[in-house]
Amino acid sequence: YAHFTSPIRRYADVVVHRVLEANLAPSPKRWNKSAMEEQAIHISAQERKAMTAERESIKYKQVEFMQGKEGETFDANISGMIDKGIFVQLKESKAEGLILFSDFKESFDLSDSKLKAVGLRSKRILSMGMELRVRLIEADLHARQLDFEMVEEG
């Protein structure tokens, strides 16, 4: 079984193409298994580096785009939860940042599944995908980080 993506993006697919082509020839070619494994490990490591670089550059450009918009409010969805807060993704620009639980007027209990948080006093529920109105507090380009606060209703 082989699954192909664009060879421009994945060198591993080019290697598989070459092996298949060589083995469809009248006299199939034998490949050195350990050399192929070594090459596969190298390709995977390089691909991970490229994915990390892509994520970092996207985050950098998102923060750069948001600079100067501190104090503005945006429509967002909860896109993730960790022990210290919730991640929100802005609907329009897809920029993502964090709202710390410590910035709320009450403490929250985060479920083990990290899909929901419940306010200890109000029993207010924050859940994945929930729509929120948020305000940009800081766009830190050096840290590639956006910090938001929730705009309280009423």
Side-chain angles (χ1 to χ4, degrees), residues 88-112:
V88 294
Q89 184 180 59
L90 303 185
K91 286 185 175 184
E92 192 172 302
S93 68
K94 303 298 184 204
E96 190 173 56
L98 183 66
I99 301 175
L100 297 173
F101 284 131
S102 61
D103 291 341
F104 284 89
K105 293 178 181 157
E106 67 177 310
S107 297
F108 279 82
D109 181 34
L110 182 61
S111 70
D112 290 338

Side-chain angles (χ1 to χ4, degrees), residues 33-44:
K33 182 181 175 188
S34 62
M36 293 288 287
E37 286 173 351
E38 199 173 296
Q39 188 176 28
I41 289 168
H42 175 73
I43 290 168
S44 293

